[in-house]
Amino acid sequence: LFVLNYKKIIKFKLIYFLIFFLICSIFILRIKYEIRYMNNFIADVDNNEKNTSLCGRVKNIIFKDDNAMIICEGVIYYLKGEIFLNDIHIGNKVKFEGKSEEISKGTNPGEFDAKSYYKTKGIYVKMSVSDYMVVDKSYDKVGEFFFLLRQYLSTKIDETFESNRAGFIKATILGMRGELDKDTYKLYQRSGIAHILAISGLHVSLLGIGLYKLFRKILQRSFLLSASLASVFLVFYGLLVGDSVSIVRASTMLILYFIAEVLGRSYCIISALSISAVGICLISPFEPFGLSFQLSFAAVLSLGGPIAFIIKRFKPVEKKDKSSCSYRVFKILVVSIGVQLLTLPVTLYYFYTLPLYAFLINILVIPLMSFVLYSSMLSLVLNILRLTLYKYISVFTVLILRFYDFLCIVTK
């Protein structure tokens, strides 16, 4: 019996090793292919000595300071406001003329490295456009729908919130950071809470879990229907705001959680994290070398590892103590401080600075972000439905944002 059990263990370990070896081999081949493709692409289009023309299908359009940034395959095009005529749609084939050059690498320690960032997005060259012409007006219906929806929601946010707060809401809900107030960003960055200005896995998790609980517990729907609707929302939201690594990671893990709920199986956060990591690495092999991937996965790994162990170790025996206020405060403190400590090496490696009071501020800021998200989205929905109640709910969001400003000013 012992020999049979030993053979089964060896057999399973061999299977796991072969799967691991296969995944690593595919990942290495993908890296080599992408590096070869990147070098060939740069050699073909990089011409910083004179004007050149490039042609490509439009993947995304981003507006910032009355200027436009158009993203195509491997290239980002910068158009000034007076050049862009709002006649380009997602999926159009456009011929651009201007000065192209390879995206430069950050040279100073702690400086934003544009080359590394855009490389994870599959963009290697930039062009300052002097003129353009739409060659093919056929467009991507799905991509254009989400682009127009994003612009519509942006205008509704402008109607719902005052101008200096609308930029914050657009950044946290729609991922549109182009209209974010520069003074606000510098204030948050100096205080160590600039991470809340980007759509993170925390935001997606709050929205996904909130919707699932809404259907499951409040509306008393079945596991399957609640999980299906929440999963569809996650996919829809991901297409709306963009496929950043934190959104893909959080959405994948939540969908796996919903599947486990429907099947009545236990959910392992480390296994879900591994599955999402494998998928991201195989689809976009440069992502693991980016800051977003490393911070996002380090944070979740700390939650599923040391933090989960500490919370379990000090878990009350009595059931009534588990729901007590003191235990909930204890969990919030452990999670907030633990995630910051365990992601500290990554933060120091890339930014070389760390505000010492950031630990204390984040303990207050992170839990309140759930209220900011829910109240701002509810205000937005009520405004779309033309219900004046949105004016009163939006006040709650603005008060929290003012509290954030107060914390940053005090620590300054």
Side-chain angles (χ1 to χ4, degrees), residues 208-227:
I209 289 292
L211 190 63
Y212 175 74
K213 288 184 176 180
L214 173 67
F215 285 114
R216 182 75 190 102
K217 294 185 177 180
I218 299 177
L219 301 181
Q220 299 294 317
R221 302 301 177 185
S222 64
F223 281 108
L224 181 59
L225 180 61
S226 302

Side-chain angles (χ1 to χ4, degrees), residues 85-96:
L85 303 175
N86 283 319
D87 57 344
I88 298 177
H89 304 281
I90 306 298
N92 285 169
K93 190 173 184 180
V94 185
K95 182 180 179 181
F96 298 93

Side-chain angles (χ1 to χ4, degrees), residues 348-361:
L348 291 177
Y349 177 79
Y350 282 98
F351 299 109
Y352 290 81
T353 58
L354 176 72
L356 296 177
Y357 40 78
F359 287 97
L360 299 175
I361 297 178

Side-chain angles (χ1 to χ4, degrees), residues 271-339:
S271 298
L273 183 69
S274 302
I275 293 171
S276 62
V278 169
I280 292 171
C281 290
L282 296 182
I283 295 171
S284 183
F286 284 136
E287 283 289 2
F289 305 101
L291 172 63
S292 297
F293 182 95
Q294 294 171 18
L295 274 179
S296 180
F297 279 81
V300 179
L301 191 63
S302 64
L303 288 172
I307 294 175
F309 173 78
I310 293 172
I311 292 176
K312 187 177 180 180
R313 175 68 178 80
F314 293 96
K315 189 175 182 180
V317 179
E318 297 292 334
K319 188 176 181 180
K320 61 179 181 179
D321 294 335
K322 294 178 184 178
S323 57
S324 63
C325 182
S326 59
Y327 181 63
R328 290 184 179 183
V329 171
F330 167 74
K331 287 199 295 184
I332 291 173
L333 290 174
V334 170
V335 170
S336 299
I337 297 174
V339 169

Side-chain angles (χ1 to χ4, degrees), residues 71-225:
I71 299 174
C72 297
E73 182 68 32
V75 187
I76 181 169
Y77 300 93
Y78 294 93
L79 286 78
K80 293 183 178 179
E82 59 268 20
I83 296 175
F84 185 59
L85 303 175
N86 283 319
D87 57 344
I88 298 177
H89 304 281
I90 306 298
N92 285 169
K93 190 173 184 180
V94 185
K95 182 180 179 181
F96 298 93
E97 293 184 1
K99 185 178 179 181
S100 64
E101 59 180 326
E102 182 182 357
I103 297 175
S104 58
K105 182 179 177 65
T107 54
N108 296 325
E111 180 187 2
F112 172 67
D113 190 351
K115 183 175 182 178
S116 297
Y117 171 78
Y118 281 113
K119 188 165 70 172
T120 62
K121 309 300 179 186
I123 301 172
Y124 317 112
V125 175
K126 63 181 180 180
M127 173 185 276
S128 298
V129 178
S130 58
D131 194 14
Y132 70 90
M133 179 178 66
V134 180
V135 179
D136 184 2
K137 293 187 177 181
S138 61
Y139 62 94
D140 179 5
K141 293 182 179 179
V142 176
E144 184 68 8
F145 167 76
F146 282 105
F147 172 74
L148 294 176
L149 178 59
R150 191 159 55 246
Q151 297 303 120
Y152 170 75
L153 293 175
S154 175
T155 58
K156 286 298 179 181
I157 289 175
D158 288 329
E159 294 176 7
T160 309
F161 299 94
E162 53 196 47
S163 58
N164 60 334
R165 304 300 178 187
F168 180 97
I169 303 301
K170 289 179 186 180
T172 54
I173 293 181
L174 300 177
M176 300 173 66
R177 301 182 64 177
E179 299 181 33
L180 186 64
D181 184 68
K182 292 181 180 179
D183 294 332
T184 300
Y185 178 76
K186 289 180 181 179
L187 186 66
Y188 282 27
Q189 187 182 39
R190 196 161 41 234
S191 302
I193 61 170
H195 58 87
I196 67 173
L197 297 172
I199 297 179
S200 65
L202 173 65
H203 300 162
V204 178
S205 301
L206 287 172
L207 295 175
I209 289 292
L211 190 63
Y212 175 74
K213 288 184 176 180
L214 173 67
F215 285 114
R216 182 75 190 102
K217 294 185 177 180
I218 299 177
L219 301 181
Q220 299 294 317
R221 302 301 177 185
S222 64
F223 281 108
L224 181 59
L225 180 61

Side-chain angles (χ1 to χ4, degrees), residues 219-262:
L219 301 181
Q220 299 294 317
R221 302 301 177 185
S222 64
F223 281 108
L224 181 59
L225 180 61
S226 302
S228 301
L229 292 174
S231 299
V232 169
F233 168 78
L234 289 174
V235 175
F236 184 89
Y237 186 68
L239 293 172
L240 176 65
V241 302
D243 55 347
S244 70
V245 63
S246 58
I247 294 174
V248 175
R249 190 268 308 157
S251 299
T252 303
M253 294 182 67
L254 271 179
I255 291 172
L256 291 172
Y257 169 76
F258 296 149
I259 292 173
E261 286 282 293
V262 172

